[in-house]
Amino acid sequence: MSEGEFLDGLSKANALLCYSRQKINDRILERTPLLKVVCNIAVGYDNLDLGELTNRGVMATNTPGILTETTADLTFSILMAAARRVAEADHYVKSEQWQEWFPSLMLGKEVFGATIGIIGMGRIGKAVARRAKGFNMKILFYNRSHKTDIEEKLGAKYVSLKQLLQKSDYVVVLTPLTEETKKIIGAKEFALMRRDAILVNASRGATIDETALIHTLQE
């Protein structure tokens, strides 16, 4: 619907279902005199102004757990596609550049037995770690709290962010977006990473400093 239709509907709404791309802030809430509850159809809720909702007595909910395994599948598929150069090779063939096979063509990086570093060991982080275990990967993780159950079940190792970045072949970002995690990967962190490391960001885009990313790739 158009923004006009959306804003018009808000004036009559008791409840609002929204996606993470829709910012629910004072500009929106001042148009909702009847609103009682907002449900975010997502796990993350950084698009909701919780302070403003609280001030207005409006309940906020999200949908944790519903996409855990699905997102972990996507995350690991991106990791493997980048490692084995799947999208690049697909384009290479479809653009008619391929002429013949030779041993070093599109070799990519090994996944089996490599080291994966997971930043953010929540539900999805654990699910990605389970998949990594199936590939006999060495699992490192950095989290705001030390989770000994993950170490016991999956043989994962809790390390500092610096250690994770220095030692990982694959760095996977799975943190929620907070003031603490905004641009958690910036120039300093890129400098610590291996030059041939692969970075997979399956969290919010703002966890990566994009200017530093561009500079790092150019260098």
Side-chain angles (χ1 to χ4, degrees), residues 117-120 140-144 157-168 170-175 180-186 188-194 199 207-208:
I118 300 173
I119 302 172
L140 306 178
F141 73 96
Y142 171 74
N143 200 61
R144 63 183 176 185
K157 184 179 181 182
Y158 178 72
V159 296
S160 67
L161 181 58
K162 180 180 179 180
Q163 289 174 310
L164 183 149
L165 294 169
Q166 288 176 328
K167 295 180 178 180
S168 297
Y170 302 93
V171 176
V172 180
V173 184
L174 288 164
T175 65
E180 184 183 0
T181 63
K182 193 174 292 183
K183 295 187 178 181
I184 193 172
I185 304 295
K188 182 178 71 173
E189 289 71 31
F190 283 122
L192 291 169
M193 290 172 63
R194 296 179 176 181
L199 173 66
T207 57
I208 308 294

Side-chain angles (χ1 to χ4, degrees), residues 1 11 33 49 74-75 110 151 158 162 183 186 189 192:
M1 66 183 81
S11 64
D49 186 335
L74 177 63
T75 303
E110 294 285 352
E151 293 182 307
Y158 178 72
K162 180 180 179 180
K183 295 187 178 181
E189 289 71 31
L192 291 169

Side-chain angles (χ1 to χ4, degrees), residues 84-113:
R84 306 312 313 189
R85 302 171 70 176
V86 174
E88 185 183 356
D90 179 70
H91 176 74
Y92 185 75
V93 172
K94 289 178 178 176
S95 62
E96 300 184 354
Q97 295 180 66
W98 183 83
Q99 299 298 322
E100 61 180 339
W101 176 86
F102 52 93
S104 61
L105 180 65
M106 296 287 173
L107 281 181
K109 285 169 59 72
E110 294 285 352
V111 176
F112 188 86

Side-chain angles (χ1 to χ4, degrees), residues 34-77:
L34 306 177
L35 193 65
K36 300 298 181 187
V37 60
V38 173
C39 178
N40 216 37
I41 308 173
V43 178
Y45 48 86
D46 48 282
N47 58 310
L48 305 183
D49 186 335
L50 296 182
E52 191 64 31
L53 287 164
T54 300
N55 290 339
R56 294 171 183 267
V58 178
M59 180 183 290
T61 70
N62 64 338
T63 53
I66 194 167
L67 293 174
T68 297
E69 300 300 334
T70 304
T71 307
D73 281 349
L74 177 63
T75 303
F76 211 80
S77 69

